Amino acid sequence: MNSVFNEIKIFFRQTFLVAMKDFKSMVLSPLFFGWTGISFIFLSYNFPRDLFRFAMSYAMPVFGQSADQGRNIHFDVFVAHISYINLIFLFAVPVLGMKLLAEEKRNRTFDLLMTSPLSSLQMVLGKYFSLLMLLFLFLLFSLIYPLSTGFFTEIPLGPLVSSYIGLFLLAGVYSAVCLFASSLSQSLFLSAFIGMILNIGLWFISQQGQNSGSEVWSSIMDYLSLSAHLTHFIKGSLVINSFVFFLSLIIFFLFLVFKSVEFIRWRS
């Protein structure tokens, strides 16, 4: 029993070392500084603007109704903020993820990883967690915007935390998808392009259900919709089906990455 625990400990320690190595490399890269700088300039412009519009509409009566009727800072301001972050992730994660495997192949350092004592699973998980930690760091800083409104108004913490849980799971899906795209080619541009196409494609799956006359097909497409599951979290509902859906997508794409790495190892 002790030997099993030791093997598990060694497995996760080596995986953690891979993750920290790539995480430090990405955090210290000019690409990361440029991305975070542009992203937070974008958020710093849009969040105060949406907050100002909410404050004005909250204070002014509309069509004879009371000024505060039907206004909610979570749905009027925070949801827009979450949508901006999702938009940033949709296009930025493929660019960040292209470095994980495609750049290793281009720089011929991938061959060194193939001959190292690391298993394919350790390599895949390590690189995946490095990108996920980077996005978690971004989400942590972006949380400052909605939390700062707590100085002058009451904020619904439950839906806000739930929304960020959903956003983190969505970031996990994007990371797995883009790691898979990075495993397909040594071209950085092609890897980023494939990652963007796959991420955008996942968002448009639900449109197929809406345009279908079949209720069965429509329900299947609705279940496969990222937006439908994210909406559950935004509304403050921690639905088990949505957790299972996001985790299933993550595991599925990580499995594809694993098989891709195993194929390269077998071919070499």
Side-chain angles (χ1 to χ4, degrees):
M1 184 66 70
N2 288 334
S3 61
V4 174
F5 282 121
N6 287 333
E7 288 181 5
I8 294 174
K9 188 187 297 184
I10 292 172
F11 176 88
F12 283 106
R13 183 187 302 151
Q14 292 177 336
T15 302
F16 177 75
L17 291 175
V18 174
M20 288 306 300
K21 172 182 172 294
D22 285 309
F23 175 73
K24 290 177 182 177
S25 175
M26 287 191 290
V27 166
L28 298 176
S29 67
L31 179 64
F32 174 76
F33 285 104
W35 166 60
T36 52
I38 294 172
S39 297
F40 281 111
I41 289 172
F42 176 72
L43 293 176
S44 297
Y45 169 77
N46 284 286
F47 188 83
R49 183 195 61 177
D50 294 336
L51 188 61
F52 177 76
R53 288 177 178 173
F54 169 76
M56 293 298 294
S57 62
Y58 188 90
M60 296 173 60
V62 180
F63 299 116
Q65 297 179 353
S66 59
D68 59 347
Q69 186 172 351
R71 309 308 302 177
N72 187 306
I73 193 172
H74 177 72
F75 289 103
D76 291 354
V77 180
F78 296 169
V79 171
H81 180 66
I82 290 166
S83 299
Y84 297 142
I85 296 173
N86 175 54
L87 184 64
I88 291 171
F89 280 177
L90 199 61
F91 296 99
V93 176
V95 177
L96 295 170
M98 70 183 182
K99 295 173 63 66
L100 293 174
L101 289 173
E103 191 173 58
E104 295 268 18
K105 294 177 185 178
R106 192 186 66 170
N107 296 337
R108 303 298 182 185
T109 55
F110 190 76
D111 296 334
L112 296 177
L113 289 174
M114 290 290 97
T115 57
S116 68
L118 290 173
S119 67
S120 299
L121 183 59
Q122 287 174 314
M123 186 191 312
V124 170
L125 291 179
K127 290 186 173 296
Y128 173 73
F129 287 135
S130 67
L131 182 55
L132 199 57
M133 286 190 294
L134 194 73
L135 300 181
F136 177 77
L137 187 65
F138 183 92
L139 286 175
L140 205 59
F141 281 108
S142 72
L143 192 55
I144 295 173
Y145 292 91
L147 289 179
S148 64
T149 61
F151 287 109
F152 52 86
T153 187
E154 185 179 351
I155 58 176
L157 278 177
L160 178 62
V161 172
S162 174
S163 298
Y164 264 78
I165 291 174
L167 203 53
F168 178 70
L169 289 171
L170 187 61
V173 172
Y174 289 157
S175 299
V177 169
C178 295
L179 184 61
F180 170 63
S182 183
S183 71
L184 298 177
S185 173
Q186 65 179 11
S187 168
L188 299 181
F189 174 80
L190 185 59
S191 298
F193 179 74
I194 292 174
M196 288 181 189
I197 293 298
L198 289 175
N199 284 340
I200 294 172
L202 287 174
W203 271 99
F204 281 98
I205 283 179
S206 60
Q207 301 299 321
Q208 300 299 319
Q210 295 175 1
N211 298 329
S212 173
S214 171
E215 292 185 5
V216 176
W217 180 251
S218 179
S219 61
I220 292 174
M221 289 298 102
D222 286 342
Y223 179 76
L224 295 176
S225 169
L226 289 176
S227 59
H229 290 284
L230 182 61
T231 301
H232 292 153
F233 289 96
I234 289 175
K235 290 181 178 179
S237 303
L238 299 178
V239 182
I240 298 299
N241 285 345
S242 296
F243 276 102
V244 172
F245 172 76
F246 282 122
L247 292 177
S248 298
L249 269 182
I250 292 170
I251 293 171
F252 172 71
F253 279 102
L254 287 181
F255 174 75
L256 293 181
V257 180
F258 172 77
K259 298 305 290 185
S260 178
V261 172
E262 281 287 284
F263 175 75
I264 296 172
R265 190 188 291 271
W266 172 80
R267 191 178 60 180
S268 60

